[in-house]
Amino acid sequence: MLLAAGLMSAGCTYAGPLKWVTLGDAAYAELRKTVPQATAKASRAGQNEALHVVPLDEDLLPLLSAAVHRDLKRCGGFFVHNTEGDAMQAIAGAPVAVAALTRPSYTIDNQTTVNSLLPQLQESNITQTIVDMSSFANRYYKTVNGSDAANWLKQKWTTMASGRSDITVTQFAHTGYNQTSVILTISGTDNGSEVIVLGAHLDSINLSGNGETSHSPGADDDASGIASLTEALRVMINTGYKPRRTIKFIGYAAEEAGLLGSQDIAANFKNSAVNVVGVMQLDMTNYKGSVNDIYIYTDYTDSLQNDFVAKLAATYLPALKVGYDKCGYGCSDHASWNAKGYPASLPFEAAFNRDNPYIHTANDTYANSGNQAAHALKFARLAAAYAVELGSDGPGTPGGTDKVETFTGSLAAGQQKSYGPFKAGIGTFKAETSGTGDADLYVRKSAVPTTSTYTCKSDGSSATEVCSFSMTANGDVYVLVRGYTSTSYALKVTYKPQ
Ligand code: BES
Ligand code: ZN
């Protein structure tokens, strides 16, 4: 209110760069009250409300957030774009096709791994991360503190991943501000082109102003989301979990400034045709404002994946109560992925109108989340279950049933017989013989083996031989049995079907 009054009466002139904002009806009405000169350049029907494109001085953006929060008592999200074309495209409503989007099976078939991992997650570690992050005076996207906070997270994740050559941590630089996003990547072992993203925003904001030393601890919004993800990550690393799909943990820059960091990253992935098969956003996980524990937000998210998230909660966190709600257009980073056609979900701490009343102020502290992180721990567990269940999938379903084929035969000394092709999928391929006399075993990918060309051989001095290797892609496999002396044998071939 103060800010808006100041703007009008003092007739301030703002000289920030011109931005293009897309926003919903309700937020647009608020903007018009606060900044009457703001006028929609275009409007179009959206998912639940009409959407508008408004050119706006960057310096006026905080007024928009403040007005929406104050008057609507809700978040009225928006996307900030650099160009009119980007904004127009954002409200165009055309279905967004994603290159090579793979729909996961959403089966729950990694109970052993997930159940051994979940009890290891600890509230105290979540508390530590929240307290550490909220000890920066602010994490505003344009301040030195805001950049330092991103560097701190990069350092924390790098230390956690030390000793794992399959994990990298990078900083994603953005244009127009110094705060980076932070991306930790666990490369998938054999299905790495399929990517899972778990994200939270690392920035914070104070709607009464954002100087270098302004206070916006953002303990709940959204140190809690980063902390929940970090604890899931810690246990995944600690247990030596190696995913088949690639898993990325992302701390986004500049969410509070209009989803800037996540829009950049989602656009970058889309342009490179990255096959992101699932996105989970954790934004506010530690304030228990409602009777249910986890609220799955159903707007601007993917309903099939949301059903999967509910199934994960029912399977792995059966004591928890799950509710549903909506948060409107552009309310957090999941919306950036959703806008690019990627399936995203947002499990949230409370019903929409029962969320933490202290966010975006100097009072969003750990103390004002009740001095506990038990609530955020539920989301850490949900995130770990999500990462492992989706992360463990790949063609050939190694979790699935082996195909077993058996044969018997007799060979004279020097005689040989070939079998196959066996249509093998990703996983272990194994051939074994038993019997009388001396049989030797040769196995080869893609062609019939000879005694000098093979992928694997076993030529001991009996009929008991075994040969196994791992298939990293679907392929034909051939087996050759040779009588070194005369032999009567049984051959057993075990492999994952394609
Ligand atoms: N964490 C909030 C979103 C939120 C707040 C969801 C309350 C549900 C209840 C997020 O960081 C935020 O503040 N978003 C802005 C929009 C953004 C584009 C500036 C908002 O909702 O005003
Ligand atoms: Zn947030």
Side-chain angles (χ1 to χ4, degrees):
M1 186 64 96
L2 260 178
L3 280 168
L7 167 77
M8 293 302 107
S9 58
C12 304
T13 52
Y14 287 87
L18 186 69
K19 296 286 180 183
W20 292 85
V21 178
T22 53
L23 72 187
D25 253 346
Y28 180 55
E30 283 308 312
L31 175 64
R32 297 271 298 153
K33 273 198 246 163
T34 315
V35 187
Q37 72 267 34
T39 312
K41 185 86 190 277
S43 303
R44 226 191 154 102
Q47 230 181 71
N48 300 308
E49 54 185 338
L51 302 176
H52 309 275
V53 171
V54 184
L56 198 65
D57 190 308
E58 188 181 41
D59 292 351
L60 294 176
L61 290 172
L63 295 183
L64 171 58
S65 298
V68 168
H69 278 267
R70 184 189 60 234
D71 293 343
L72 296 183
K73 303 277 182 288
R74 46 154 284 192
C75 81
F78 50 87
F79 286 79
V80 174
H81 313 267
N82 283 325
T83 68
E84 180 175 3
D86 287 352
M88 289 300 191
Q89 206 187 353
I91 66 158
V96 205
V98 168
L101 177 67
T102 306
R103 215 12 126 161
S105 64
Y106 298 133
T107 50
I108 293 188
D109 47 15
N110 293 277
Q111 268 109 329
T112 313
T113 313
V114 177
N115 283 326
S116 72
L117 206 136
L118 292 189
Q120 301 187 43
L121 280 88
Q122 284 172 22
E123 179 182 354
S124 58
N125 293 317
I126 298 178
T127 296
Q128 192 61 53
T129 304
I130 294 176
V131 168
D132 285 350
M133 287 188 78
S134 44
S135 72
F136 287 91
N138 65 75
R139 302 189 303 278
Y140 193 60
Y141 75 123
K142 286 189 161 177
T143 64
V144 174
N145 271 306
S147 303
D148 287 351
N151 298 341
W152 175 87
L153 184 63
K154 149 103 199 283
Q155 194 47 54
K156 181 172 176 80
W157 284 358
T158 304
T159 304
M160 287 168 66
S162 67
R164 281 279 295 261
S165 58
D166 58 330
I167 305 184
T168 58
V169 186
T170 58
Q171 285 180 286
F172 190 109
H174 304 283
T175 10
Y177 52 96
N178 289 333
Q179 186 176 64
T180 65
S181 295
V182 179
I183 305 183
L184 177 142
T185 304
I186 312 176
S187 300
T189 53
D190 64 27
N191 191 24
S193 66
E194 295 184 9
V195 177
I196 299 149
V197 170
L198 293 100
H201 66 90
L202 61 84
D203 68 320
S204 69
I205 197 168
N206 185 326
L207 293 179
S208 342
N210 296 282
E212 278 293 341
T213 55
S214 301
H215 279 275
S216 53
D220 191 32
D221 190 8
D222 181 26
S224 67
I226 298 277
S228 293
L229 293 184
T230 301
E231 183 56 3
L233 172 66
R234 184 190 67 81
V235 170
M236 286 163 64
I237 293 174
N238 237 22
T239 54
Y241 174 67
K242 299 249 169 79
R244 299 187 67 197
R245 287 186 170 125
T246 293
I247 301 180
K248 286 178 184 280
F249 286 83
I250 308 187
Y252 301 106
E255 187 269 352
E256 301 286 12
L259 315 180
L260 297 183
S262 57
Q263 284 193 83
D264 265 5
I265 293 172
N268 177 285
F269 280 36
K270 174 84 188 290
N271 291 340
S272 322
V274 179
N275 191 3
V276 177
V277 304
V279 175
M280 175 179 275
Q281 171 77 359
L282 294 186
D283 186 357
M284 299 167 64
T285 62
N286 201 32
Y287 179 90
K288 191 171 187 307
S290 304
V291 288
N292 295 319
D293 298 285
I294 292 174
Y295 284 79
I296 295 173
Y297 279 26
T298 56
D299 56 342
Y300 300 97
T301 55
D302 183 82
S303 64
L304 287 178
Q305 187 180 262
N306 287 343
D307 290 347
F308 173 59
V309 172
K311 203 161 73 166
L312 287 171
T315 306
Y316 291 117
L317 305 164
L320 301 188
K321 288 186 286 215
V322 171
Y324 293 87
D325 211 340
K326 296 181 178 185
C327 69
Y329 183 74
C331 93
S332 188
D333 298 307
H334 63 287
S336 299
W337 295 98
N338 174 268
K340 294 290 180 196
Y342 292 116
S345 297
L346 175 69
F348 191 77
E349 66 187 14
F352 188 50
N353 60 4
R354 305 285 306 214
D355 72 302
N356 188 334
Y358 300 104
I359 65 166
H360 302 168
T361 74
N363 295 322
D364 181 6
T365 59
Y366 181 69
N368 281 332
S369 289
N371 269 314
Q372 54 76 46
H375 201 49
L377 179 62
K378 301 165 191 168
F379 293 82
R381 293 199 167 126
L382 184 67
Y386 173 85
V388 170
E389 281 292 355
L390 280 188
S392 304
D393 291 344
T397 55
T401 326
D402 282 335
K403 186 160 181 186
V404 180
E405 295 185 60
T406 53
F407 310 87
T408 52
S410 297
L411 294 168
Q415 211 187 358
Q416 56 192 42
K417 181 170 168 59
S418 74
Y419 298 85
F422 300 96
K423 300 280 182 193
I426 291 170
T428 303
F429 186 98
K430 183 174 176 189
E432 50 201 319
T433 55
S434 59
T436 57
D438 184 357
D440 292 339
L441 181 63
Y442 301 84
V443 184
R444 187 177 173 193
K445 287 186 206 171
S446 308
V448 176
T450 68
T451 53
S452 55
T453 319
Y454 43 79
T455 306
C456 165
K457 79 166 172 178
S458 176
D459 58 356
S461 55
S462 72
T464 305
E465 307 290 351
V466 56
C467 225
S468 83
F469 55 90
S470 87
M471 296 289 289
T472 53
N474 288 343
D476 288 349
V477 181
Y478 299 82
V479 175
L480 182 82
V481 182
R482 179 170 184 269
Y484 188 77
T485 64
S486 69
T487 177
S488 286
Y489 61 89
L491 168 68
K492 182 178 172 191
V493 179
T494 310
Y495 58 97
K496 302 295 177 192
Q498 291 180 355

